[in-house]
Amino acid sequence: MWQSSPPGSIYDYIRVASFSIGPDGLIEQWSRRAAGLFGVAAHEAVGRDPVEAFLPGEVRREGHRRIGEVLDGKEWTGLVPFRMPGGDGVHGLAEIYVMPSETATGERAAVCIVVDVRALRRIETDLAASQAIFGQSPFGFVLFGTDLTVVRANERFATVFGGRADDHRGRTVGDYLTGAEADRLTATLERVLETGNSVTDLQLVGTAPGDTERRHWSMNLYRVHSGSGRPIGIAGLATDVTRRHTAAREAASARRNLALLNEASARIGNSLDLETTARELLDVAVPVFCDLASVDLYQALLTGDEAAPGGWSPLSQEAVGGSAELRRVAFASAVSGALPHARGSSDSGPPGGAAAPPALGSVHRYPFGSPCATALRTGRVEDVPGDERGFVQSTLAVPMVAHDTVVGLVRFSRTKGSEPFDARDRALATELAARAAVCIDNARLYRREHERALILQRSLLPPGDPEAAGLDIACRYLPGNTANEVGGDWFDVIELPGHRTALVVGDVMGRGLRAAVAMGELRTAVRTLALLDLEPAEVLSALDEVARGLGTPGAAPASGGGGAQWPGRAAHRAREADLSEVYLATCVYAVYDPVTRRCTFANAGHLPPVVVEPGEAATLLDVPPGMPLGVGGEPFEEVEVELKEGALLALYTDGLVESRDHPLDEGLAALRKALVEPAQPLEDVCDRVLGSLHTRHGEDDIALLMARIQGLPTEAVGDWRLPREPRSVGRARELARGQLTSWGLDDLVDTTELLVSELVTNALRYGEGEIRLRLLRDRTLVCEVWDAGLVQPRRRRARDTDEGGRGLQLVGLLSAAWGARRTPRGKTVWFELPLPDGRPAAERSVEELLSMF
């Protein structure tokens, strides 16, 4: 069957030409290929002597001889140099096959077939180079035909997939790859063959014959064409990149681990809360590192019982009962519907995995000999095997160790289908647990110190809601140091004799625990001075002396001329400087009398009080600021202000009205604006002030003390002046009896008459000037006896032979409290009796009764 050869055959490459020589030795026929080879057209070549036309002069003689032999009937093949037409002197080399022939008349002629030797040499070189590249390549080289079967493969390809190179001819993609990988490569070959677009770095995964290890190959594919451009197949260059893939996976794992540790550093420990820190650890680990995770902390750690038996040291685990008690504080899962740990991966119950995993928040123990108990006891990571029936593949039980102390256990689990934990994962798990353990231990220490600081702070502030006669009081305290919730601001409400009340607000310069300690010392001093019933200015003067004493450390021994220096002298001086700074403070001290509704203020460098009277705008009281406590050298001034019924008084510290972003004037204006509705409940007013002012809380402590004025009603006060004469004693008893009867306090009449009689008698005997008797009824009954004498009464124990001297003993025995204070015009002696509550009064013991005589 006749069939035309497609373009691009071998003849197109080797350039075969032909011509014929007649009996006369001249060219008779000249083919088109000859015209192309020699560059001479047929009309120029026909009829010419080929020797004279194309051969160089030095070989023409030999050429004529050869032509003669051929015409005599001898074949000849050989290399013949030839001269290209023209005058440029270009020479070529042709291989000529000369065959004798006969004409129609029987004459001798010749047919010549000519091949350009240069084209042959190029083909030979290309074939040799192709063979060298194909056969000697260190990479697998395969050529697919247009039907996607293997046409040729090199030896390197055969060493990977077995057999000899020729054995792979005719194979398909399915003989090397299976499933989705084979389909993907087939589709890629079809696309390359159709479009001509090459594909680089096609990643394929499979197994070589006789090998179970998964291999990774990178394949480059490109379409191969004939000389005429016709596609004849697809060439593929395959490289085994398993090691590179493994290295890349390890590098990616290392980068992931580093990123995970970096994220752990950033996210774990942001809160000084044990449970929150545990949850932060699991937020980092799941699902990047594992699929399930839980954290168990020792119960003793959570309750703060550091000396509990079987505590949380690895050396104190119970050998019989297993681990000490733990509480599950956190659990995280990337698997929907997963319990804290799947059945079979839990070792919190009996062996065999039958027990249910601990619930979140539950207290449990790990059985002795279980991997988790072993990890807690030894402080080393333990593997917890999975269960064939469960979906957990493997679990790491990692003890949380901080400062050589085990504080808990974290369990990392991976489900089936995930890669099992390797040595690098164990190291990473240990590092994550250690970082979280340090943060948890810090949180434990913080919790302990925080509780102690809170105990200190609460002990220094007034307990509960302060109460005072004639005042409705509300207060707020916000420490600027949120780490331990203590600071140097303080307020106090102190009950004084005569139902008077001292209101104090102070601010120690400094922050934190040291400022709180200094504040406690000053607050104690204020209370002590207030109980002496001194005037406000006198209280601040005495407090200033106390502050200077506290802030002035003892001087270090001076060294002699060449003597040795006192050890640690520089550090000691540094501590002295710190102390002298801590004990500088500001303070405002006010004494309110509910009978007169007058309030006396004294200020030591503090911000002025704010007063809001009914129907009026808030104003700042003009109280001379004075110098801060601890500075000394300047006296303090007093200002007395009469306050209207229902007026609002606010004492505060600078943290309420001053911040870096807002100057003091703006803060004071905002405070006055926030007090536009003083008639609201006092607690609501406090909340409104704190909510409306831009305090930037956290920069400084805030103390706010607010009081609404509620003076004692006129009917609750009995006030009389008595002449200095003996009959005033009886008159005083009558007045007291009548007043108590009108108040319905008949149960107190006898005791009050007796004690009033004693105090008036003493005023007559030891005092001077006019006598004043005053009874006050509020939460208690207060009796005051005034006179102009300056001598303070002193209680003493009378001897058995003394006829008197037992009056103040009687007062001290029968009253709830008694005392004496100086006044601008003398002194006041007072006693206080509780109001009857309907229960019978307690009977006096024999010793108490005998002590009166």
Side-chain angles (χ1 to χ4, degrees):
M1 181 177 65
W2 294 88
Q3 180 177 354
S4 300
S5 297
S9 65
I10 188 64
Y11 300 105
D12 294 332
Y13 291 97
I14 62 177
R15 302 180 66 184
V16 178
S18 64
F19 63 90
S20 63
I21 300 175
D24 55 0
L26 301 179
I27 297 174
E28 282 188 340
Q29 295 177 337
W30 189 256
S31 67
R32 292 182 179 179
R33 284 188 177 270
L37 176 63
F38 293 104
V40 178
H43 69 276
E44 296 177 350
V46 173
R48 297 182 62 182
D49 184 347
V51 175
E52 294 296 332
F54 300 107
L55 297 184
E58 62 272 14
V59 297
R60 288 176 182 172
R61 182 177 179 181
E62 179 64 22
H64 284 298
R65 188 178 68 79
R66 294 290 184 184
I67 291 297
E69 291 179 353
V70 171
L71 293 178
D72 288 340
K74 184 179 179 180
E75 293 183 358
W76 180 80
T77 301
L79 297 176
V80 178
F82 63 91
R83 176 174 55 83
M84 301 293 289
D88 53 7
V90 177
H91 290 74
L93 184 64
E95 185 174 83
I96 300 180
Y97 178 32
V98 183
M99 297 173 288
S101 64
E102 293 181 358
T103 64
T105 59
E107 294 180 290
R108 297 289 182 91
V111 176
C112 300
I113 299 176
V114 184
V115 179
D116 187 349
V117 176
R118 294 173 299 177
L120 287 175
R121 297 296 178 266
R122 284 196 300 270
I123 292 174
E124 291 174 355
T125 302
D126 291 345
L127 288 175
S130 174
Q131 182 61 32
I133 294 174
F134 195 84
Q136 301 175 19
S137 172
F139 309 109
F141 200 97
V142 62
L143 180 64
F144 294 95
T146 55
D147 58 353
L148 304 186
T149 60
V150 177
V151 176
R152 186 177 180 184
N154 67 350
E155 291 296 332
R156 178 60 182 168
F157 186 87
T159 57
V160 175
F161 291 99
R164 296 178 296 106
D166 292 341
D167 296 339
H168 293 273
R169 295 181 184 272
R171 291 186 178 179
T172 64
V173 171
D175 296 321
Y176 305 102
L177 300 173
T178 59
E181 292 292 279
D183 296 340
R184 190 161 63 92
L185 179 57
T186 300
T188 304
L189 291 173
E190 292 175 347
R191 187 170 65 254
V192 172
L193 184 63
E194 178 182 356
T195 63
N197 297 328
S198 61
V199 173
T200 59
D201 197 22
L202 176 64
Q203 297 293 318
L204 299 171
V205 181
T207 56
D211 192 1
T212 58
E213 182 183 0
R214 288 166 60 88
R215 311 291 297 179
H216 296 262
W217 293 284
S218 172
M219 198 163 194
N220 299 328
L221 301 172
Y222 59 92
R223 192 170 67 182
V224 180
H225 306 85
S226 65
S228 62
R230 179 177 61 87
I232 60 174
I234 303 168
L237 184 64
T239 306
D240 190 337
V241 293
T242 303
R243 291 184 179 179
R244 186 177 72 186
H245 186 271
T246 302
R249 184 177 60 185
E250 292 179 353
S253 177
R255 287 193 298 270
R256 182 203 66 185
N257 293 351
L258 289 176
L260 195 62
L261 289 176
N262 183 60
E263 185 179 6
S265 300
R267 297 181 59 183
I268 299 176
N270 292 323
S271 169
L272 289 174
D273 179 76
L274 296 172
E275 291 82 357
T276 302
T277 302
R279 288 193 296 268
E280 290 170 347
L281 168 62
L282 301 192
D283 290 341
V284 171
V286 179
V288 178
F289 177 69
C290 61
D291 302 314
L292 301 168
S294 65
V295 175
D296 298 323
L297 298 180
Y298 278 112
Q299 179 71 357
L301 180 147
L302 295 170
T303 58
D305 185 7
E306 300 183 18
W312 13 281
S313 169
L315 301 179
S316 61
Q317 298 299 310
E318 301 176 22
V320 178
S323 69
E325 289 186 340
L326 299 107
R327 183 192 303 172
R328 179 142 299 177
V329 297
F331 170 74
S333 171
V335 182
S336 61
L339 294 173
H341 270 294
R343 177 180 175 181
S345 66
S346 173
D347 58 0
S348 58
L360 189 64
S362 64
V363 178
H364 64 97
R365 294 174 183 264
Y366 286 111
F368 180 76
S370 64
C372 290
T374 303
L376 289 169
R377 185 170 57 254
T378 62
R380 294 191 298 267
V381 181
E382 294 289 334
D383 291 311
V384 181
D387 192 334
E388 295 292 336
R389 299 168 297 173
F391 66 94
V392 172
Q393 177 177 240
S394 61
T395 298
L396 292 179
V398 187
M400 306 178 75
V401 183
H403 309 112
D404 296 328
T405 299
V406 179
V407 298
L409 183 79
V410 57
R411 295 164 53 110
F412 300 109
S413 300
R414 288 181 178 173
T415 58
K416 293 180 179 179
S418 301
E419 294 186 1
F421 292 110
D422 56 19
R424 184 181 290 108
D425 293 329
R426 291 171 66 91
L428 177 60
T430 303
E431 179 66 20
L432 288 174
R435 295 194 180 198
V438 171
C439 295
I440 286 176
D441 194 50
N442 291 339
R444 174 185 66 86
L445 295 175
Y446 161 76
R447 175 180 287 185
R448 183 184 65 187
E449 296 303 321
H450 180 245
E451 290 175 352
R452 294 176 179 176
L454 284 181
I455 293 173
L456 171 64
Q457 185 73 63
R458 290 165 183 166
S459 68
L460 297 178
L461 295 175
D465 296 327
E467 295 182 356
L471 291 176
D472 181 15
I473 295 177
C475 51
R476 295 290 186 275
Y477 175 78
L478 299 176
N481 188 352
T482 56
N484 53 25
E485 296 189 15
V486 295
D489 290 12
W490 92 91
F491 64 90
D492 209 345
V493 179
I494 307 171
E495 294 187 46
L496 299 178
H499 287 314
R500 294 172 303 135
T501 303
L503 304 176
V504 189
V505 169
D507 184 0
V508 175
M509 295 182 184
R511 299 177 65 182
L513 192 58
R514 293 198 61 184
V517 172
M519 174 266 284
E521 294 174 322
L522 293 178
R523 176 179 178 271
T524 302
V526 170
R527 276 193 160 266
T528 303
L529 295 170
L531 293 178
L532 296 177
D533 212 354
L534 303 176
E535 297 296 323
E538 293 177 318
V539 170
L540 292 186
S541 295
L543 190 62
D544 179 61
E545 294 292 337
V546 172
R548 279 191 288 167
L550 294 174
T552 304
S559 59
Q565 294 292 325
W566 188 30
R569 189 168 185 176
H572 181 76
R573 287 178 175 175
R575 288 193 297 270
E576 288 180 357
D578 290 343
L579 286 172
S580 62
E581 179 181 358
V582 165
Y583 286 107
L584 290 177
T586 64
C587 179
V588 60
Y589 185 89
V591 175
Y592 170 70
D593 188 343
V595 178
T596 62
R597 293 199 312 276
R598 300 187 70 84
C599 192
T600 305
F601 297 90
N603 192 354
H606 204 79
L607 294 174
V610 176
V611 172
V612 187
E613 295 189 340
E616 302 291 338
T619 59
L620 298 176
L621 289 180
D622 186 13
V623 180
M627 297 299 291
L629 300 175
V631 175
E634 293 293 333
F636 297 98
E637 300 182 38
E638 292 182 358
V639 172
E640 188 176 61
V641 177
E642 183 174 353
L643 302 174
K644 294 182 180 180
E645 184 76 17
L648 191 64
L649 175 65
L651 305 178
Y652 53 93
T653 57
D654 57 359
L656 180 68
V657 294
E658 187 177 23
S659 68
R660 297 181 201 153
D661 302 328
H662 299 278
L664 180 59
D665 291 342
E666 291 186 10
L668 291 174
L671 175 59
R672 294 197 302 269
K673 185 178 179 180
L675 295 173
V676 293
E677 298 181 7
Q680 291 183 341
L682 205 53
E683 295 291 338
D684 295 343
V685 175
C686 283
D687 293 336
R688 176 184 174 84
V689 169
L690 293 178
S692 59
L693 268 66
H694 299 285
T695 59
R696 298 295 188 272
H697 176 52
E699 298 177 3
D700 198 3
D701 307 330
I702 295 176
L704 175 62
L705 177 61
M706 304 192 76
R708 178 172 284 120
I709 304 302
Q710 298 173 347
L712 288 181
T714 305
E715 60 271 14
V717 179
D719 195 350
W720 307 275
R721 297 183 183 273
L722 302 173
R724 190 171 186 80
E725 55 188 31
R727 64 179 182 178
S728 294
V729 177
R731 178 60 179 163
R733 287 197 298 267
E734 293 176 4
L735 294 172
R737 184 188 312 113
Q739 186 66 66
L740 292 180
T741 302
S742 66
W743 285 341
L745 300 178
D746 297 331
D747 293 342
L748 300 180
V749 169
D750 293 339
T751 303
T752 304
E753 281 190 39
L754 177 60
L755 300 184
V756 166
S757 177
E758 290 292 336
L759 294 187
V760 173
T761 300
N762 283 345
L764 288 173
R765 181 176 298 179
Y766 306 108
E768 298 178 5
E770 186 181 37
I771 299 174
R772 181 180 177 187
L773 173 65
R774 189 168 75 169
L775 293 178
L776 306 175
R777 187 198 65 185
D778 192 66
R779 290 173 300 159
T780 62
L781 175 68
V782 174
C783 176
E784 298 175 328
V785 176
W786 307 33
D787 68 81
L790 298 178
V791 178
Q792 294 288 321
R794 182 172 62 89
R795 181 178 177 178
R796 64 182 179 86
R797 178 174 293 277
R799 291 173 296 186
D800 295 340
T801 57
D802 291 343
E803 296 183 359
R806 296 180 178 84
L808 293 182
Q809 282 185 297
L810 192 63
V811 173
L813 182 64
L814 297 181
S815 66
W818 77 278
R821 69 177 186 274
R822 289 183 300 152
T823 64
R825 298 180 179 84
K827 69 176 180 297
T828 300
V829 183
W830 57 272
F831 67 84
E832 183 176 347
L833 294 175
L835 298 182
D837 55 4
R839 292 179 296 181
E843 295 185 359
R844 302 289 178 179
S845 65
V846 175
E847 291 77 9
E848 289 177 334
L849 294 175
L850 290 177
S851 66
M852 302 180 188
F853 301 95

